[in-house]
Amino acid sequence: MQTEMSLWSYANPTRFMATTRPLLPWLSALAAACLVVGLVWGFFFTPDDYRQGSTVKIIYLHVPSALMAINAWFMMLVASLIWLIRRHHVSALAAKAAAPVGVTMTLVALVTGAVWGSPMWGTWWAWDPRLTSFLILFLFYLGYMALWAAIEDPDTAADLTSVLCLVGSVFAVLSRYAVNFWNQGLHQGASLSLDKEENVADVFYIPLLVCIAGFVLLFVALVLARTRTEIRARRLHALQLRERMA
Amino acid sequence: MPDLGKYAVEVGAAYGLSAVLIVGLVAVTLWRGKRVKRALDAAEGRRNA
């Protein structure tokens, strides 16, 4: 009998482990290659901006990390919804695995933004809509991870963190569109846009795209690796419980 | 090394701090992955013994 493959078959932990094992080294190598090429290109081989001077080189860290900070939350949202609707454990564990990656990306975006803002805006921080919504997103990440750590029963933890993820999505959307919602504050518009007038200059554009590809691949590789660890940790916990009861 | 002019400290700080955060995240991911795998192998070994 021929079995039909579907996306949901990867919700089986054994299949997930078997599929991701050969993928991870390739993904990791590709992520490292893109990051090295993009960052070396951007840092060493692009000119200074006529207004920002050499601080424009911070764009190669700030834009990709900010993009991933928001999209990591959306990935967690999708995984949480799959957990809530279909009760697939791998999706709940993937959401849990993505949170530390997302919070690091948010921190990189906040730190690089502050370091860039100091000479360009004359201040490390301003209560600008985008900056503030990003800070709240960072706090949501911390709250999400704390909630996972605080609840012993994994299914209850997955339920409650999924609900928190739904609520936090409001701030992920605000972080992305705050500049469009409120035409005020210090933060400029999107660096990457379909509108050519808004886009960064061509000379910065391609290395920036390579850096973004590197950050996306790094995120995927890290989430897969961490999900594999979470699956193993869940199995270990079950075996330890059995040992204690024997 | 490109001439970063008067913003050398800012650009260096942005790259340095980002490297610390990202390398730290990768290191913690690999370290915990190995630790959990070792513990699981040991637990499965005890179970199959």
Side-chain angles (χ1 to χ4, degrees):
Chain A
M1 197 176 83
Q2 196 176 4
T3 53
E4 194 184 328
M5 283 285 290
S6 84
L7 185 67
W8 302 116
S9 63
Y10 294 99
N12 176 318
T14 310
R15 185 179 287 273
F16 179 86
M17 296 296 273
T19 310
T20 53
R21 190 181 171 187
L23 266 180
L24 255 180
W26 292 102
L27 268 174
S28 308
L30 205 56
C34 283
L35 284 174
V36 168
V37 169
L39 290 173
V40 167
W41 186 351
F43 191 85
F44 290 97
F45 302 107
T46 57
D48 289 354
D49 181 71
Y50 74 103
R51 275 180 305 187
Q52 302 177 43
S54 62
T55 62
V56 73
K57 295 182 192 299
I58 296 174
I59 200 177
Y60 304 110
L61 294 164
H62 182 71
V63 172
S65 59
L67 204 72
M68 289 321 299
I70 298 167
N71 288 319
W73 193 275
F74 286 131
M75 176 253 144
M76 287 161 57
L77 172 67
V78 171
S80 299
L81 286 172
I82 292 172
W83 162 255
L84 288 174
I85 296 164
R86 298 192 65 133
R87 313 303 282 181
H88 288 313
H89 286 93
V90 172
S91 65
L93 294 178
K96 182 185 182 187
V101 187
V103 80
T104 306
M105 295 295 172
T106 313
L107 198 53
V108 169
L110 285 169
V111 166
T112 52
V115 169
W116 180 88
S118 173
M120 291 300 113
W121 293 341
T123 179
W124 296 93
W125 180 262
W127 295 103
D128 161 283
R130 180 170 267 192
L131 271 65
T132 307
S133 54
F134 239 88
L135 180 65
I136 296 172
L137 181 64
F138 176 69
L139 297 175
F140 260 97
Y141 270 119
L142 294 183
Y144 179 91
M145 292 192 296
L147 194 54
W148 263 109
I151 300 167
E152 203 169 330
D153 178 61
D155 284 3
T156 310
D159 284 340
L160 295 179
T161 51
S162 295
V163 173
L164 182 67
C165 191
L166 287 172
V167 178
S169 299
V170 174
F171 290 95
V173 172
L174 281 183
S175 304
R176 173 68 187 81
Y177 295 106
V179 177
N180 309 41
F181 289 160
W182 296 283
N183 195 18
Q184 61 182 47
L186 284 172
H187 203 289
Q188 66 271 44
S191 302
L192 292 177
S193 165
L194 293 174
D195 182 352
K196 205 150 173 59
E197 290 294 306
E198 271 188 33
N199 245 333
V200 293
D202 286 349
V203 70
F204 308 117
Y205 189 72
I206 298 174
L208 179 58
L209 284 185
V210 178
C211 286
I212 289 172
F215 271 76
V216 171
L217 289 165
L218 177 69
F219 172 77
V220 175
L222 283 171
V223 171
L224 289 183
R226 297 183 76 95
T227 307
R228 288 169 61 82
T229 301
E230 291 300 336
I231 290 170
R232 286 192 175 119
R234 181 72 66 95
R235 167 97 180 128
L236 175 64
H237 183 64
L239 287 179
Q240 285 171 337
L241 278 180
R242 253 185 250 171
E243 277 178 3
R244 261 179 250 157
M245 288 166 75
Chain B
M1 188 73 183
D3 178 18
L4 300 173
K6 60 180 177 174
Y7 301 124
V9 173
E10 285 83 357
V11 176
Y15 274 78
L17 290 169
S18 300
V20 167
L21 287 169
I22 292 169
V23 171
L25 173 70
V26 172
V28 168
T29 300
L30 294 176
W31 172 76
R32 183 165 178 257
K34 280 185 182 159
R35 192 171 60 93
V36 170
K37 187 175 185 308
R38 226 179 5 246
L40 179 60
D41 288 345
E44 285 185 330
R46 284 195 300 276
R47 181 172 168 253
N48 297 330

